[in-house]
Amino acid sequence: MPKGKGPQGKRITLKVAKNSVRVLFNGRRRLELGKMGIAIFPKSILELADVEELDLSRNMLKKIPNTIEKFQNLMWLDLHSNQIDELPAEIGTLKNLTYLNLCNNKLTTKGLPEELTHLKNLRILNLGLNCLESVPTTLGALRELVELGLFDNSLTIIPKSVKKLPKLERLNVKRNPLPEFAKEDEPIDTIKRIESLYLVEKKDLCVPCLQTCQGERDELHRLEDITPGSSEKPSFPSLTTPNSTARDNQEEWRIK
């Protein structure tokens, strides 16, 4: 078995963690531990709890420990694509958090602590691709939310307190069994639209078809005379548009 790997996933030492700190263009320090095969929250990173951003996405984490409260400077936390089924109440102590991504986990409604509503500065919250049966009405306390992802869950209703958040600009609830978002039947188009236009010479039409087409063309000309428009229009005196009968027999006149 490779060194550092086992039933608990990859072991993250303090040295590995320090080498994973990146300084962003805005001056923030991000601890990047995404996609590293981590199954248990690394205790070693508590030594770096003063970072402003933490990326633990695309791992195998099932639990977030209550020691997450030590990351008091966190403004950005990405935990997407793990196996997390519940959050600790201590998540609510991260008062500086503005971005929280919990997409693609195994969170249920019971797994969302009430303390989540203490994140008064939270602007972006992604709870999509989880196992939520309902949305806590208390999320309506997150008055700074601009984006909220609730897509791909089992939701049948969205609380009014959430839909009416004062700063909410984007609410993604796609692929939920929500009656209010059921796709309406497309309106019936009462105008018959032409799919194909056939142009043929007069000599290729039978007498009845020719008379019908000429009558329809005369009617169009009459309408044009009473409708204001440009006088410079193309003219095709030797061509006419056959009706459906001629179109059905087009193979015959093409052979001729």
Side-chain angles (χ1 to χ4, degrees):
M1 183 177 295
K3 183 179 179 181
K5 290 191 176 181
Q8 296 184 344
K10 184 174 181 178
R11 179 170 173 263
I12 302 299
T13 64
L14 181 57
K15 181 179 179 180
V16 170
K18 286 182 176 180
N19 290 334
S20 299
V21 176
R22 305 285 182 268
V23 179
L24 308 179
F25 70 94
N26 55 11
R28 294 184 190 175
R29 291 162 302 148
R30 177 183 294 181
L31 178 51
E32 297 183 347
L33 296 174
K35 202 175 181 180
M36 295 189 70
I38 303 171
I40 294 181
F41 192 90
K43 291 182 179 180
S44 61
I45 69 174
L46 295 177
E47 298 292 329
L48 302 170
D50 58 344
V51 296
E52 290 83 17
E53 301 191 3
L54 176 58
D55 180 5
L56 283 167
S57 65
R58 297 166 293 172
N59 281 296
M60 301 180 291
L61 293 170
K62 294 184 178 180
K63 302 289 182 184
I64 300 299
N66 53 19
T67 52
I68 192 70
E69 65 183 352
K70 295 188 179 295
F71 291 80
Q72 286 298 305
N73 290 338
L74 273 190
M75 302 177 68
W76 190 93
L77 177 58
D78 193 347
L79 298 169
H80 86 266
S81 301
N82 279 282
Q83 300 176 29
I84 303 168
D85 56 9
E86 64 177 341
L87 295 173
E90 286 76 11
I91 195 86
T93 66
L94 307 180
K95 300 300 177 63
N96 292 315
L97 210 60
T98 61
Y99 174 95
L100 178 57
N101 190 351
L102 294 161
C103 175
N104 193 22
N105 277 284
K106 296 183 179 180
L107 287 167
T108 62
T109 304
K110 292 181 180 179
L112 298 179
E114 185 177 348
E115 288 78 7
L116 196 64
T117 60
H118 295 170
L119 303 177
K120 300 299 183 181
N121 291 310
L122 199 62
R123 293 173 56 81
I124 299 175
L125 175 60
N126 193 344
L127 293 168
L129 279 166
N130 276 285
C131 306
L132 302 179
E133 309 87 12
S134 61
V135 180
T137 57
T138 50
L139 287 187
L142 301 177
R143 310 288 287 178
E144 295 298 314
L145 270 189
V146 175
E147 296 184 25
L148 177 58
L150 296 170
F151 54 92
D152 292 287
N153 279 285
S154 301
L155 305 174
T156 56
I157 189 171
I158 305 296
K160 290 183 179 179
S161 61
V162 173
K163 290 192 290 186
K164 294 185 177 181
L165 282 166
K167 297 184 178 181
L168 194 63
E169 296 178 1
R170 287 176 286 277
L171 174 62
N172 189 343
V173 295
K174 292 180 180 179
R175 294 176 296 278
N176 277 285
L178 289 163
E180 59 187 299
F181 290 98
K183 183 179 180 180
E184 297 182 0
D185 293 334
E186 294 185 1
I188 299 174
D189 189 354
T190 56
I191 301 176
K192 184 177 180 180
R193 306 192 181 276
I194 299 174
E195 295 180 357
S196 301
L197 182 65
Y198 295 86
L199 296 177
V200 298
E201 292 188 4
K202 292 181 180 179
K203 62 183 180 64
D204 293 324
L205 290 176
C206 61
V207 175
C209 292
L210 179 60
Q211 291 176 344
T212 300
C213 290
Q214 287 177 334
E216 291 177 353
R217 188 176 62 179
D218 293 340
E219 179 65 14
L220 286 174
H221 289 166
R222 186 185 67 79
L223 292 174
E224 288 175 354
D225 292 338
I226 62 176
T227 303
S230 173
S231 60
E232 297 181 3
K233 296 181 181 180
S235 176
F236 304 96
S238 65
L239 298 179
T240 186
T241 304
N243 60 9
S244 59
T245 302
R247 183 180 63 187
D248 293 338
N249 298 326
Q250 59 181 299
E251 294 302 325
E252 294 181 16
W253 53 257
R254 280 179 177 170
I255 293 175
K256 293 178 182 179

